[in-house]
Structure formats: C-alpha cells, structure tokens
C-alpha cells in the first residue's frame, strides 16, 4: 500500500466537482481540492474525536498526507487503516484557536512540517461539538488568528 501511495500519483484521477450535499463532506472535498491545486500545501491536518473528519478526507484521496489528531487511542487505531491517514495523539483543546495551535505544534514537533509550510486544517468549530465545518489554510509556526 505504501508503494502504491508513493508511486501512484500519476494514475490518480483529477478531482471531480463537488456534489456533496452535507457540509462536512463539502469541507473535506474543498480541503483535498486546495491541496491538489496549490503545490505549496504540504499536508492536511484535522482534529477529530470520532474519526469522521479523517474518514471523509481519506475518501477524497488528497495528494498530500492527512494527519489526524485524535485524543482517543481507539479512534487512532481505527484511523490507521484509512487511506493516507496518519493518526496522532493530542490533548483536548479548550477552543478553536488552541486546537489549531495544538495541530501546528504537533506537526512541527514531529518533524512533519517546518515553519512556513502551508497546511490545510479542518475540524469542527467549536472544537469537537459539531460536524466538520471549518477549513483554514495555515502556515506552520504562524500565530493563530
């Protein structure tokens, strides 16, 4: 699977226009589209309590890695089976800004992103209390605004 993911890019179909009827799926599609259209985007990061956001992202088959930050170890184990998803532990955020900061810090501390790297971040806002409804293009190391 790793070889196919690493070398199969030339065989990926171009993303179709968005036909999703729910907001969470549309956000996942938009994140994958941004990653496909902007060569500076290094990764997609999401915060997820249940794994739903990462599952939606995986289904879009983005051209960059998906880093799913999940506080629950069981959710992380399930996400390990999803296409393109790398599940990482994270503390519960207190608000949306701290959620973004936790993902940024986790990526940089793990050597998965360097300061200045463009990242697409998705989650629910307020953090973990609704369906996926947030998309942010963030540069690693930048202050959260």
């Amino acid at each position: 699977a790793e070889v196919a993911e690493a070398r199969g890019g030339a065989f990926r179909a171009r993303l179709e226009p968005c036909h999703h009827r729910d907001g969470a799926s549309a956000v996942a599609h938009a994140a994958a589209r941004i990653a496909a259209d902007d060569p500076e985007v290094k990764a997609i990061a999401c915060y997820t309590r249940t794994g739903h956001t990462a599952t939606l992202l995986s289904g879009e088959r983005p051209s960059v890695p998906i880093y799913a930050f999940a506080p629950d170890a069981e959710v992380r184990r399930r996400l390990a089976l999803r296409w393109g998803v790398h599940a990482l532990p994270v503390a519960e955020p207190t608000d949306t800004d701290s959620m973004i900061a936790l993902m940024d810090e986790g990526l940089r501390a793990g050597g998965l992103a360097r300061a200045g790297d463009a990242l697409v971040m998705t989650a629910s806002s307020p953090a973990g209390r609704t369906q996926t409804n947030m998309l942010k293009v963030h540069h690693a190391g930048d202050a959260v605004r």
Side-chain angles (χ1 to χ4, degrees), residues 9-72:
F11 302 100
R12 283 194 186 120
R14 184 85 175 126
L15 286 174
E16 295 294 321
C18 184
H19 299 291
H20 298 292
R21 296 183 188 266
D22 68 281
S25 296
V27 169
H29 180 85
R33 171 68 66 159
I34 291 168
D37 291 346
D38 186 345
E40 295 199 14
V41 172
K42 303 296 184 200
I44 298 173
C46 69
Y47 174 84
T48 183
R49 282 190 176 157
T50 64
H52 185 67
T53 300
T55 298
L56 291 173
L57 288 165
S58 176
E60 294 294 332
R61 300 293 194 262
S63 57
V64 297
I66 303 163
Y67 296 108
F69 289 87
D72 186 310

